[in-house]
Amino acid sequence: MEDTRNDSEEINDQTANDDMEDFAALLEQSLLGARELKPGQKIEATVLQVGSQWVFLDVGQKGEGVLDIRELQDAEGKATVAVGDRLPVYFLSGAGGELRFTTRLGQGAAGAAQIEEAWRSGIPVEGRLEKEVKGGFEVRLAGGMRAFCPFSQLGMRRDADAEIPVGQSLSFKVMQFGEQGRNVVVSHRALMEEERARQRESLRETLKEGMVVQGTVTALREFGAFVDIGGLEGLLPISEISYGRVENIGEALHVGQQLQLAVKKLDWEAGRFSFSLRDTQADPWSKVGTLYAEGSVHTGTVVRLVPFGAFVALEEGIDGLIHISKLGAGRRISHPREVLEVGQQLLVTVEQIDREQRRIALAPTAAGAESAAPKNYVEKPGGGSMGTFGELLKGKFEKKGKKR
């Protein structure tokens, strides 16, 4: 029988066969990573849809994953995730093409077998703090099982005045399962540390020096404050709190305070991170040269006395120095404290500005010079100098010696 097919038909057939092979190759390639899941296996899933009862997930398998919406609702019943969000989940079971996942074992009818599986696989379990016992808390787990959580594994700062969180429900990791469920030890801290490690890895990819982040003050020290930005904790040096001089850090910050901070330095290898509150504030030195121009007169406050002069604050973040040679109203003094005291108000003139070094040279005005005169200098009623009070005492003792 003569073949009546023309060349164009053969070409179309060949193209169709090639397309089918390409589709098959793409399908096979897409399923390469879709390995069989085991109960308790932890994976990263992407939210596809948020329904009234279920959250549908893309879990890299042939079928979609489902998760009970109640696990991802806040106290008001609103979903805490949205389409596109990624979250860690644990595989429970698969039947009829449906893959069931969880973020934790809830307070259902779970028995010892499920708690044991949670222990083996690392699936978090929901628990309620029942009461305080010696060394920790008694926790009621899903299905009514009881467990023990040591104080050190609760993961909360335990202060003398802190209220015991009895009645609070938390997620726990089963650390020990023995005696067929009669000896169960759980930890909330372990889950917190795992979450911090995950946040830290995420921050390592996105956090850059100079970025502004939000943090919470966790501790105060003389040299600065430790701040947690969710995933890592860093130091806010006392010199980076303000443009002004901070003498007492407790007057500037408190534990629990929320701050907007600039990332100053990131050292991932050494695990050292620092922040700056000052870098998020307007630089008061922008006023120097305009409001505080050479020759202008201002009222300042003495903030520090040193052997070579007195530092005077024109405003927070802008200090100037009055050299000791300009103090004493023409008389020589050995230390500025002889004529000034910290906190004293003084009328000063801006004499010189060094922008590169951020230094301002000040001098007392004519009126200010009177305030900077020696405190122990006295005048004769009829005029003329009697000398300093010390010189008067010296002369008095010398006269007594002569009389003897």
Side-chain angles (χ1 to χ4, degrees):
M1 184 175 178
E2 186 177 352
D3 187 0
T4 60
R5 291 165 57 87
N6 55 37
D7 292 342
S8 62
E9 290 176 332
E10 291 180 357
I11 293 174
N12 290 336
D13 289 344
Q14 183 62 42
T15 302
N17 290 334
D18 291 343
D19 290 343
M20 288 296 293
E21 290 177 2
D22 291 343
F23 177 75
L26 288 172
L27 180 61
E28 181 180 358
Q29 184 178 1
S30 67
L31 296 176
L32 284 177
R35 292 174 292 180
E36 182 180 355
L37 294 173
K38 297 179 181 180
Q41 184 175 342
K42 183 179 181 181
I43 65 170
E44 286 282 327
T46 302
V47 177
L48 294 175
Q49 182 181 347
V50 180
S52 59
Q53 294 182 315
W54 302 98
V55 175
F56 296 90
L57 308 169
D58 177 2
V59 293
Q61 302 292 317
K62 295 180 182 180
E64 294 178 346
V66 294
L67 187 149
D68 194 326
I69 185 64
R70 290 175 295 181
E71 294 188 24
L72 300 173
Q73 289 179 328
D74 58 20
E76 299 177 355
K78 296 181 180 179
T80 57
V81 294
V83 174
D85 287 353
R86 291 185 62 79
L87 67 155
V89 294
Y90 299 85
F91 178 61
L92 289 178
S93 62
E98 182 180 79
L99 304 174
R100 296 287 299 273
F101 290 85
T102 184
T103 58
R104 63 188 182 278
L105 289 180
Q107 294 188 353
Q114 283 190 332
I115 300 300
E116 184 176 9
E117 180 59 36
W119 168 59
R120 297 185 186 281
S121 61
I123 299 177
V125 297
E126 192 79 4
R128 182 177 183 273
L129 297 173
E130 288 287 288
K131 60 182 178 181
E132 184 176 358
V133 294
K134 184 178 180 180
F137 287 96
E138 181 180 297
V139 181
R140 183 181 292 273
L141 301 178
M145 291 191 63
R146 296 185 181 276
F148 173 70
C149 179
F151 286 130
S152 62
Q153 295 303 310
L154 193 59
M156 298 179 178
R157 297 182 183 274
R158 184 169 171 79
D159 301 321
D161 299 330
E163 294 184 6
I164 303 301
V166 172
Q168 185 174 352
S169 292
L170 299 170
S171 292
F172 296 91
K173 186 172 185 178
V174 182
M175 307 300 292
Q176 180 178 321
F177 184 92
E179 301 178 18
Q180 297 181 336
R182 291 189 295 273
N183 182 15
V184 180
V185 178
V186 295
S187 170
H188 178 63
R189 177 181 174 181
L191 293 181
M192 293 176 66
E193 291 176 348
E194 288 179 4
E195 176 62 18
R196 284 185 65 83
R198 188 180 69 82
Q199 291 177 337
R200 187 183 179 112
E201 285 305 309
S202 177
L203 285 173
R204 189 162 189 167
E205 297 176 1
T206 59
L207 199 63
K208 305 295 180 185
E209 292 181 2
M211 292 178 62
V212 176
V213 296
Q214 181 167 324
T216 304
V217 178
T218 57
L220 299 179
R221 299 289 185 269
E222 290 184 2
F223 52 83
F226 288 98
V227 181
D228 189 339
I229 65 170
L232 65 82
E233 190 174 60
L235 176 67
L236 170 60
I238 192 169
S239 60
E240 293 294 333
I241 293 176
S242 171
Y243 280 100
R245 185 179 177 86
V246 177
E247 299 286 351
N248 185 352
I249 192 170
E251 295 178 357
L253 301 173
H254 63 268
V255 173
Q257 185 174 351
Q258 300 287 315
L259 300 173
Q260 292 288 328
L261 303 163
V263 179
K264 197 73 174 178
K265 185 177 180 181
L266 297 172
D267 187 342
W268 296 99
E269 300 303 322
R272 295 180 179 177
F273 313 97
S274 63
F275 307 106
S276 173
L277 181 59
R278 186 179 69 175
D279 285 358
T280 66
Q281 303 166 350
D283 187 353
W285 257 78
S286 61
K287 302 177 184 178
V288 175
T290 53
L291 176 61
Y292 300 108
E294 292 183 2
S296 59
V297 177
H298 308 274
T299 299
T301 304
V302 178
V303 292
R304 194 154 50 107
L305 300 175
V306 292
F308 54 84
F311 285 95
V312 176
L314 302 179
E315 66 171 77
E316 186 176 3
I318 304 180
D319 291 356
L321 174 68
I322 303 178
H323 193 268
I324 190 171
S325 62
K326 298 183 182 299
L327 298 172
R331 293 188 60 83
R332 186 172 180 177
I333 59 174
S334 58
H335 197 284
R337 61 170 169 263
E338 295 178 25
V339 295
L340 294 175
E341 58 185 23
V342 173
Q344 182 177 339
Q345 298 287 306
L346 198 64
L347 202 61
V348 295
T349 300
V350 177
E351 284 199 329
Q352 188 176 0
I353 297 173
D354 184 341
R355 290 185 174 279
E356 290 186 4
Q357 298 294 325
R358 283 184 167 239
R359 293 175 179 172
I360 301 176
L362 302 173
T365 63
E370 295 179 3
S371 300
K375 304 298 185 212
N376 56 356
Y377 184 74
V378 295
E379 296 285 342
K380 284 184 180 180
S385 172
M386 293 177 62
T388 65
F389 184 67
E391 290 171 343
L392 291 175
L393 287 176
K394 183 179 178 181
K396 186 175 182 180
F397 284 121
E398 288 176 348
K399 288 180 180 179
K400 285 185 178 181
K402 290 179 178 179
K403 290 180 179 180
R404 291 178 184 175

